[in-house]
Amino acid sequence: MGVTRAELEAGIEEHHAASLGWALSCCGWDRGEAEDVLQSSYLKVLDGRARFGGRSSFRTWLFGVIRRTAAEHRRRAALRWLWLPLTGADGAALHDPAPDAARVLERSEESTRLVDALRVLPRRQREVLHLVFYEELTIRETAAVLGVTVGSARQHYERGKRRLRELLDPEACR
Amino acid sequence: MTEEDRTDRDLGARFARLREEERAGGEDYRRFAARVAARARLRARPRRRLVLPALAAMAAAIVLAVLILRGGSGGATAPAWGRIDLSATSLRMPTDFLLDTPGNELLRSVPALGAPDGTATGGLIHAPATPTPEKPS
């Protein structure tokens, strides 16, 4: 028996705040791009292009959809960037990687430092740390979202944690 | 408390603060959905404006392709640059005179079969056009 549209909408609504945080992480904290990704992900879920099979929790599955959609957006952005010299279009109009000034002001200095440090980490490590610390998922759930083994997720977690600590507190690590 | 526990606790607190700040500045699902829908409509407008010119350009490209293909298949509208009459071409090299041997014109001439005398063929004796059966002597 499938999940009804009303149930899907209720699930999306329930996890919306967490989903936006995860989309932000997947998009390098670019809010505009994260909202685009989230919009595409919700549409995929609601029009049936992404089907919930019930093999994991709804949140784990939804995060997987958001992650794949963000990867698609990145690929499309890369293709657009390749086309720019041929079309003569303005690259800045298509993608502005600069953070939204209002959003930067809203974040505390400590959070801004954390976001900057996360941007330096390899993607996989950043994703694991975000899912474990920000979304409070277990390593097993994190592995399910990323489609990797639990051992691999644990390894990324340990390495990422060590690297993040070095970036945030270099004095303490000496 | 081990060093690792302290790191976990510190990172947990940092991420929790970031989460609180992001959620405080965020909006609920209903408002997000409405805003995203409005933005999607705005983005779709320029695309709609481009549909007609794009269709016209596509139609022109198809017509051009059909014209070129029909021309290439040897129709009446074939362009002059598309055909070369090979029988009208000849190649003369500067050293061709070395191949001109004495009596060359005799070798190159075509015998006129059945001619009454051999003068037309440079004095060669030719067989008649139709072979005649040998008369018994």
Side-chain angles (χ1 to χ4, degrees), chain A residues 12-13 16 18 24 29 31 35-36 39 42 103 107-108 110-111 133-134 158 161 164-165, chain B residues 3-4 7-8 11 15 17-19 21-23 25 27 29-30 32 35-36 39-40 43:
Chain A
I12 287 173
E13 190 170 354
H16 172 67
L24 277 168
W29 300 90
R31 185 163 279 266
E35 286 180 353
D36 282 350
Q39 177 198 9
Y42 287 174
R103 296 296 311 169
R107 269 190 212 133
S108 66
E110 198 180 344
S111 295
F133 287 110
Y134 188 103
E158 294 295 343
K161 211 165 61 170
L164 189 60
R165 192 162 159 259
Chain B
E3 182 66 32
E4 192 162 345
T7 304
D8 285 359
L11 287 179
F15 273 96
R17 179 179 286 194
L18 177 64
R19 186 174 57 226
E21 287 172 7
E22 289 297 339
R23 289 188 184 176
E27 55 195 352
Y29 172 67
R30 304 275 169 202
F32 172 80
R35 197 163 55 81
V36 160
R39 198 169 59 181
R43 281 188 182 180

Side-chain angles (χ1 to χ4, degrees), chain A:
Chain A
M1 197 174 77
V3 184
T4 64
R5 189 185 167 95
E7 285 171 333
L8 288 172
E9 271 201 67
I12 287 173
E13 190 170 354
E14 184 188 344
H15 298 293
H16 172 67
S19 300
L20 182 58
W22 175 231
L24 277 168
S25 175
C26 291
C27 300
W29 300 90
D30 180 332
R31 185 163 279 266
E33 197 186 329
E35 286 180 353
D36 282 350
V37 165
L38 209 54
Q39 177 198 9
S40 305
S41 307
Y42 287 174
L43 284 173
K44 267 187 202 175
V45 172
L46 293 173
D47 66 21
R49 275 178 289 152
R51 284 181 193 278
F52 177 53
R55 285 186 293 275
S56 57
S57 72
F58 182 79
R59 182 172 67 158
T60 305
W61 172 76
L62 181 61
F63 280 10
V65 173
I66 293 169
R67 184 173 171 273
R68 283 193 297 278
T69 308
E72 284 166 18
H73 272 241
R74 275 197 301 277
R75 278 195 293 274
R76 236 175 276 152
L79 279 174
R80 256 191 321 229
W81 185 82
L82 285 174
W83 272 100
L84 280 184
L86 301 176
T87 57
D90 181 12
L94 291 173
H95 178 68
D96 182 10
D100 183 2
R103 296 296 311 169
V104 170
L105 288 176
E106 273 177 35
R107 269 190 212 133
S108 66
E109 194 184 331
E110 198 180 344
S111 295
T112 306
R113 273 188 65 211
L114 176 60
V115 167
D116 290 344
L118 284 170
R119 281 197 181 115
V120 175
L121 294 182
R123 178 175 299 280
R124 215 15 96 74
Q125 290 179 12
R126 186 169 68 225
E127 288 173 338
V128 169
L129 291 181
H130 182 96
L131 289 170
V132 170
F133 287 110
Y134 188 103
E135 307 290 356
E136 297 179 320
L137 262 61
T138 62
I139 294 282
R140 188 173 292 276
E141 287 171 322
T142 299
V145 170
L146 301 180
V148 297
T149 62
V150 175
S152 173
R154 195 178 298 283
Q155 204 169 39
H156 289 301
Y157 169 72
E158 294 295 343
R159 286 180 185 165
K161 211 165 61 170
R162 208 178 312 137
R163 181 84 182 103
L164 189 60
R165 192 162 159 259
E166 286 168 6
L167 288 165
L168 291 172
D169 201 358
E171 294 298 317
C173 296
R174 277 179 195 161

